[in-house]
Amino acid sequence: MDLAHLIEGKRFLGREFLVWLWYESEQRDGRFVLGDGSVLDLALEGAITLDAGPKAKEQSKLRGMAPSATPEAREALRQGKLPAFAKLRVERGENVFSFAFSADRFALSGIRIPAVVKDESEERFFERMVLLEQIEGLITALYREFLLLRTSDAWQTQGVTAVERWSGDEGQSSGRVTEPPRRKRAAA
Amino acid sequence: MGLLQGSISYARFFVRGDLPDNHFDSFTEALRLRALRPLTVDDEDDLRAGWCNVANPADLELDAEKLFLDSYLNVGLRIDRWVIPGPLFKAHFGEAERAYLLKRKKERLSKREKEELKKEVSRRLRNHVVPVSKAIDLSWHLDTGIVRFWSSAASAIEHLEVLFQDTFHLELVPESPYTTAARLDLPESVLTAIQMLQPAVYHNAA
């Protein structure tokens, strides 16, 4: 299979990765331990968009403090919609990052990095690059963990069945106080 | 914008191919050759793309000091375009059309005549406007082969891909779930398994 086919044909992995992050962040109360033993905290917050694929006409766009923890989000998952886009917050040590993640493109956007203190342009550039590379590295480390599960025999139980059970539990949330989500549906 | 300040939203690419041995010199020369040539009134093209100084898009005199920062190559992609405001064009074209028809005692323009007259009016109006210029930052980490381009617009990316290939004779592969996976140094068996994966079905929803 040539590269172009692989790129297009495997875009679903971005969405499944987002499902996994969503599910695992709730199961682990946001705390992930990476392969090198280091720790980060991750939460989906602010916005999540779910649909049945790039060509789907109907989307569930949820906003609020923790839209992914709402019954509406779980319902969308039960309807076969997967998250195409979500806002994430990652804390690693003293550094806090927030950004939007587009699953099909595996792209980060609107990245807020910890405040850059350097004034001089060269130092400023390096500081920004170090921070960007840090957040990219954290996301790819998580993606690696996901892919190892995804290609293992444990995927069906730990990946699919576990998510089905979790999203089938109506009304359950992480226990955090949430605002009612502002929901926007794109009509067919 | 982007590299040093402001919003951080970018498209990521991976460079496919090896760097030439003398890449500092050869890349500097290649970038100088493909620096933007500003549009002129008489140009056939309405649009032109080329490289510029990332710290100052008006600066088209590129040299190694402006381009390389340790193992990063930082450069701006500048896209200039003639844009004639619609109402201005409409008014002048109307006038030109009336004069043309009167002179040739015709009632209407043929399709070819209309196209030619549009070009002539546009060219004339270029004397009254300045090309619209947009510069997008690009940063290429030469050690890792990762390119960050501060725009996700399809048209900008199209210009980038063409110009990058022309300049460096290397291919840019856009980031995607698959290309990211391929760069994770996973065991060969896992990569092969990824290539065979089909979408998971959650809930078997109708």
Side-chain angles (χ1 to χ4, degrees):
Chain A
M1 208 185 287
D2 67 17
L3 183 59
H5 280 108
L6 285 167
I7 287 173
E8 289 311 312
K10 304 301 168 195
R11 289 203 187 274
F12 65 84
L13 286 173
R15 291 178 182 238
E16 290 180 11
F17 173 54
L18 206 36
V19 171
W20 180 82
L21 282 179
W22 178 10
Y23 168 72
E24 290 292 342
S25 66
E26 292 205 3
Q27 297 306 300
R28 307 182 195 195
D29 205 24
R31 181 140 294 191
F32 288 78
V33 179
L34 300 177
D36 62 2
S38 61
V39 167
L40 64 84
D41 290 299
L42 180 145
L44 277 68
E45 50 185 50
I48 186 168
T49 298
L50 301 100
D51 61 44
K55 293 175 185 170
K57 289 179 182 168
E58 189 177 309
Q59 283 184 325
S60 295
K61 287 188 178 182
L62 308 176
R63 285 194 164 77
M65 222 162 72
S68 59
T70 61
E72 287 85 354
R74 305 282 181 88
E75 173 60 26
L77 205 50
R78 284 195 296 276
Q79 290 173 2
K81 296 176 186 169
L82 295 186
F85 168 94
K87 287 195 172 173
L88 304 178
R89 179 186 161 92
V90 171
E91 288 184 40
R92 165 74 175 260
E94 288 176 358
N95 287 342
V96 179
F97 304 86
S98 64
F99 53 93
F101 180 75
S102 296
D104 292 345
R105 293 187 299 119
F106 209 89
L108 280 60
S109 62
I111 305 172
R112 279 191 183 172
I113 55 175
V116 168
V117 296
K118 302 288 189 291
D119 287 330
E120 201 273 309
S121 68
E122 267 188 35
E123 291 180 351
R124 194 180 174 81
F125 166 76
F126 282 119
E127 195 172 353
R128 274 164 76 93
M129 283 299 121
V130 162
L131 289 167
L132 287 187
E133 286 165 8
Q134 184 180 36
I135 187 57
E136 288 172 1
L138 293 175
I139 293 301
T140 51
L142 290 169
Y143 188 48
R144 185 189 166 88
E145 187 183 333
F146 160 75
L147 288 171
L148 290 172
L149 171 66
R150 183 64 175 87
T151 51
S152 75
D153 294 335
W155 169 249
Q156 187 57 40
T157 44
Q158 290 180 27
V160 178
T161 308
V163 164
E164 286 176 336
R165 280 205 196 108
W166 160 74
S167 59
D169 292 338
E170 208 147 23
Q172 288 213 4
S173 74
S174 63
R176 280 177 286 177
V177 175
T178 63
E179 295 172 2
R182 283 173 282 141
R183 187 171 61 195
K184 197 168 145 186
R185 280 192 190 269
Chain B
M1 284 296 288
L3 271 186
L4 293 178
Q5 62 187 13
S7 154
I8 308 182
S9 292
Y10 53 84
R12 226 164 72 128
F13 298 84
F14 308 114
V15 176
R16 193 147 78 153
D18 295 323
L19 299 182
D21 288 335
N22 61 343
H23 59 268
F24 282 109
D25 293 334
S26 62
F27 284 177
T28 302
E29 188 53 28
L31 284 160
R32 282 170 53 83
L33 283 174
R34 283 162 190 81
L36 179 87
R37 282 185 302 109
L39 288 168
T40 65
V41 167
D42 298 318
D43 273 325
E44 281 293 324
D45 300 328
D46 274 342
L47 179 150
R48 189 170 291 151
W51 304 112
C52 66
N53 182 350
V54 72
N56 176 10
D59 179 7
L60 304 172
E61 300 294 324
L62 301 176
D63 59 44
E65 202 176 314
K66 294 172 186 173
L67 294 166
F68 293 99
L69 205 54
D70 276 9
S71 52
Y72 292 91
L73 188 163
N74 296 330
V75 70
L77 171 65
R78 190 171 130 184
I79 303 169
D80 285 7
R81 207 154 55 99
W82 285 115
V83 176
I84 310 293
L88 180 71
F89 177 83
K90 200 170 169 187
H92 282 259
F93 180 79
E95 205 178 295
E97 187 181 23
R98 280 189 293 277
Y100 185 94
L101 292 171
L102 194 65
K103 189 173 175 182
R104 285 159 181 77
K105 294 183 176 51
K106 292 183 77 171
E107 283 193 8
R108 71 166 72 89
L109 298 173
S110 70
K111 192 176 172 186
R112 191 182 60 81
E113 283 170 330
K114 198 169 188 176
E115 287 307 312
E116 302 258 343
L117 195 60
K118 277 183 177 175
K119 272 189 195 171
E120 191 186 307
V121 170
S122 286
R123 200 153 291 171
R124 215 182 321 133
L125 287 174
R126 285 177 181 181
N127 288 301
H128 301 281
V129 296
V130 173
V132 170
S133 191
K134 178 177 176 153
I136 304 164
D137 294 351
L138 179 145
S139 180
W140 177 4
H141 194 320
L142 296 164
D143 291 346
T144 60
I146 291 173
V147 168
R148 295 178 183 87
F149 180 63
W150 261 256
S151 172
S152 298
S155 56
I157 288 175
E158 205 178 310
H159 286 297
L160 168 68
E161 286 175 339
V162 169
L163 192 60
F164 194 95
Q165 172 79 38
D166 279 347
T167 306
F168 303 108
H169 306 294
L170 294 167
E171 190 189 349
L172 275 181
V173 179
E175 179 169 48
S176 70
Y178 178 76
T179 50
T180 303
R183 290 174 57 90
L184 283 178
D185 210 22
L186 290 161
E188 197 61 42
S189 57
V190 173
L191 248 184
T192 305
I194 288 170
Q195 291 174 2
M196 307 304 294
L197 285 177
Q198 295 299 310
V201 178
Y202 302 92
H203 292 294
N204 214 12

